[in-house]
Amino acid sequence: MNLAEILPPLLPLLVGVPLLLGAAGAAVRKNKLARHIISMGTLLAIFAFSVLLVVVTSDGTILAHRVGGWTPVDVGSEGQTFEIAIPFVVDALSALVLMIISILGIASVMFAMATHEARARFFHPFVLVLMAGVAGALMTGDIFNLFVFIEVMLLPSYGLIAMMGAKLGAHGARIYVSVNLMASTLLLVGIALVYATAGTVNLAELHGAALDDPAVAIAGGVVLTAISVKAAVVPVHGWLTRTYPMTSPAVTALFSGIHTKVAIYAIYRIYSLLFDGDERFLWVALIVVSATMLIGVLGAIGEKTTRSILVFHMISQIGYILIGVGLFTTLGLTAAIFYLLHHMIVKASLFLSTGAIEETYGTGEIEKLGGMLRREPLIAITFMAAALSLAGLPPFSGFVAKFSIIRATLEETHYWVAAVAVIVSVFTLLSMLKIWTGVFMGDEPKDLQERALTYQERMHGKRYLRVEAQAETPTLTVGPPTSTTLAVLSGEQEVKVPAKLIIPGALLAAVTIFFGVGAEVLMSLSATAAEGLLNPEIYVEAVSGA
């Protein structure tokens, strides 16, 4: 018996185990070390499992399993049957995305542990439930369960945002919750329309349904519109820029690689199966993604904080990733999948490296920083590596990704899309230079040390103690600074970013260099994933035979 036969019945564990261990972590009230071990152990196990899935699916193999499936029961004289099952399907695309997300989860939780944010009693349980929802959304084979797992992802996200309430503010939290509730409602309406017009929500059974039936195509359009809101595609992107900069750096890095990227995955999967890559609508996609690239990068120009600039860049990069849908060719999809994987790593690395500065010096405003190249050389190197990769300079993975995307658009003679991609790349580089010159070059402000000490005293004396208090008791209490923390803070020693805050971003920067140097391997895996989208018959056959 080989892995392709052993793994399918184990797929539900990727959802069930994080849920159970998340509950176990919540039950451990007074032992934060146990919560750390449970969380990191689970994330490492998900990473190991996802690597196995990548290896098994790298040759085009598709794993499928029906969870809780009944034996079909005859319900009609015309051979109609009735059954309930959740089809879990894993191909190269879903395995690759799951592997990268598990890496992001590990890095983000490491960062949260370093900032003491993870000491909060429900931080780790929320992260594990979020990962369970991600695994379910990536593996499910029908669009109703896609909706269910997206909601499973959102519920702990609301909790994580609520924990950051002091920074986010009620207004930002209301925007995040309201927009996602609206998008979820629209998604549910779209799914209902699909079921009403096609008679099923199973993606395998929906294969090509929108090609022949305009009603199904309209219903599918509603579903894609709702998911586009969650992916922050222009013109429904505003919620992202007004919420992500307000959370903590760890949560921003985690969300940047999960919510919008799972939505992008869903767009690819649904368009491949429901529309079977219908060429009639591709021009619409190319206009939308070009606008997304352009408006995202232009929005970054006027921003004054590192995270605001990076969040606007997220939107422009989402445009690059979705070019693959607009082209729907082998090269276009391969390049877009490679771009998706590269971008998840690079963007999280940038959020964590600039977040380390923010958490140490108390601000991400470019005008209040400077001279970090001399003061924090390791952070500077980490940021530079990820920034150059994001801008698309060789030998980083971003160069391979952008070069492949532009080449794919030129092959299909969409010269104007290629021109937009090149222009946006130049503006992205300029925006990165804006952060670099403002934060890392020049002289550091004279009051930088004093402001950093004041911030650290305030945070260690109040917020961190409040989080500790929250971890121990259900009621929030604010305690006075401990003698230990103040002994460190009151000294004359220079404030520096601790190594534990540098390591997560640096590890991700190393991954992007590895992707650049070993681009051939990742490009080969991306090509396998693209082949699965172009020829969904294999997917349909695997689900039907499960």
Side-chain angles (χ1 to χ4, degrees):
M1 185 175 288
N2 55 36
L3 284 174
E5 296 172 328
I6 296 172
L7 291 179
L10 302 179
L11 294 179
L13 295 178
L14 284 168
V15 177
V17 170
L19 283 176
L20 292 174
L21 292 181
V28 181
R29 293 180 55 186
K30 296 185 178 179
N31 194 336
K32 59 179 179 291
L33 178 61
R35 291 199 295 271
H36 291 343
I37 292 173
I38 290 173
S39 180
M40 288 302 293
T42 307
L43 291 171
L44 287 170
I46 293 174
F47 171 69
F49 200 154
S50 62
V51 171
L52 269 181
L53 293 177
V54 169
V55 171
V56 173
T57 58
S58 61
D59 61 353
T61 298
I62 295 180
L63 308 177
H65 180 68
R66 288 180 176 271
V67 183
W70 295 358
T71 301
V73 178
D74 291 335
V75 296
S77 58
E78 299 178 356
Q80 293 179 319
T81 59
F82 179 75
E83 61 176 328
I84 292 179
I86 302 175
F88 277 178
V89 193
V90 174
D91 62 355
L93 177 59
S94 49
L96 283 168
V97 175
L98 181 62
M99 181 181 71
I100 299 298
I101 285 179
S102 63
I103 294 174
L104 296 185
I106 293 168
S108 300
V109 168
M110 285 175 63
F111 192 91
M113 289 165 62
T115 61
H116 295 190
E117 188 180 328
R119 290 186 180 186
R121 179 180 173 186
F122 292 106
F123 179 87
H124 288 305
F126 284 153
V127 171
L128 292 184
V129 175
L130 178 59
M131 293 302 295
V134 168
L138 293 175
M139 293 192 300
T140 184
D142 73 59
I143 53 176
F144 178 75
N145 284 306
L146 174 66
F147 165 79
V148 171
F149 285 119
I150 286 177
E151 293 306 300
V152 172
M153 290 167 51
L154 285 175
L155 288 175
S157 302
Y158 298 150
L160 288 170
I161 283 182
M163 289 169 59
M164 294 297 103
K167 283 189 173 183
L168 180 62
H171 182 64
R174 278 199 300 270
I175 291 175
Y176 186 84
V177 173
S178 301
V179 170
N180 277 287
L181 286 177
M182 182 202 70
S184 294
T185 304
L186 184 62
L187 177 58
L188 191 58
V189 170
I191 292 169
L193 291 174
V194 168
Y195 185 75
T197 53
T200 181
V201 290
N202 185 295
L203 281 169
E205 295 174 4
L206 284 170
H207 177 216
L211 273 176
D212 304 320
D213 190 339
V216 179
I218 293 172
V222 175
V223 171
L224 290 177
T225 300
I227 295 174
S228 296
V229 176
K230 294 180 180 293
V233 176
V234 169
V236 286
H237 65 289
W239 66 272
L240 188 77
T241 60
R242 299 176 69 179
T243 55
Y244 276 28
M246 307 298 179
T247 63
S248 70
V251 173
T252 304
L254 185 65
F255 283 10
S256 73
I258 289 182
H259 288 293
T260 53
K261 305 310 179 293
V262 169
I264 288 172
Y265 165 83
I267 291 173
Y268 272 94
R269 183 68 72 197
I270 291 172
Y271 200 76
S272 165
L273 287 163
L274 184 60
F275 290 85
D276 201 14
D278 192 343
E279 296 181 355
R280 291 174 296 173
F281 307 110
L282 297 184
W283 64 274
V284 178
L286 288 175
I287 291 175
V288 171
V289 299
S290 298
T292 302
M293 285 191 290
L294 201 54
I295 292 175
V297 78
L298 291 178
I301 293 175
E303 294 301 314
K304 297 179 180 178
T305 68
T306 54
R307 262 202 288 165
S308 296
I309 293 173
L310 294 176
V311 166
F312 270 102
H313 280 167
M314 266 186 69
I315 294 169
S316 68
Q317 304 298 306
I318 286 167
Y320 278 102
I321 298 168
L322 288 174
I323 284 180
V325 176
L327 299 176
F328 224 82
T329 60
T330 301
L331 181 57
L333 288 170
T334 301
I337 292 169
F338 185 96
Y339 203 108
L340 168 67
L341 304 174
H342 136 82
H343 177 258
M344 292 163 73
I345 293 291
V346 168
K347 182 56 69 176
S349 177
L350 288 169
F351 277 129
L352 293 182
S353 60
T354 55
I357 294 174
E358 190 177 332
E359 288 285 346
T360 304
Y361 297 96
T363 182
E365 292 185 48
I366 294 175
E367 291 183 351
K368 294 183 178 179
L369 295 168
M372 288 294 161
L373 179 58
R374 288 190 296 275
R375 192 181 181 97
E376 305 287 355
L378 291 178
I379 286 287
I381 293 171
T382 300
F383 176 85
M384 176 61 83
L388 292 179
S389 185
L390 183 75
L393 270 65
F396 301 100
S397 56
F399 170 74
V400 180
K402 284 192 177 174
F403 179 77
S404 303
I405 283 281
I406 293 171
R407 182 183 160 197
T409 56
L410 292 175
E411 279 194 359
E412 294 303 308
T413 67
H414 295 304
Y415 301 117
W416 61 278
V417 179
V420 171
V422 172
I423 292 170
V424 170
S425 182
V426 173
F427 277 112
T428 301
L429 180 59
L430 292 176
S431 299
M432 289 292 104
L433 287 175
K434 179 180 178 181
I435 297 178
W436 177 257
T437 55
V439 175
F440 295 97
M441 302 301 289
D443 297 327
E444 63 181 53
K446 294 180 180 178
D447 61 345
L448 182 68
Q449 172 82 2
E450 183 181 346
R451 283 193 285 109
L453 281 172
T454 303
Y455 174 77
Q456 291 296 322
E457 183 177 5
R458 176 167 61 86
M459 298 303 286
H460 283 273
K462 293 182 179 178
R463 194 191 74 158
Y464 284 2
L465 287 178
R466 185 179 65 177
V467 172
E468 272 195 87
Q470 184 184 19
E472 305 302 334
T473 63
T475 306
L476 286 178
T477 55
V478 178
T482 65
S483 58
T484 305
T485 54
L486 287 185
V488 174
L489 296 172
S490 61
E492 296 298 326
Q493 66 186 83
E494 189 179 41
V495 174
K496 299 279 287 183
V497 177
K500 59 185 179 182
L501 284 181
I502 300 174
I503 291 172
L507 287 176
L508 294 179
V511 172
T512 189
I513 294 173
F514 174 76
F515 281 177
V517 175
E520 187 176 352
V521 175
L522 190 61
M523 191 63 84
S524 174
L525 293 170
S526 301
T528 302
E531 192 63 28
L533 293 174
L534 282 169
N535 300 296
E537 293 80 8
I538 305 172
Y539 182 99
V540 174
E541 184 179 344
V543 175
S544 302

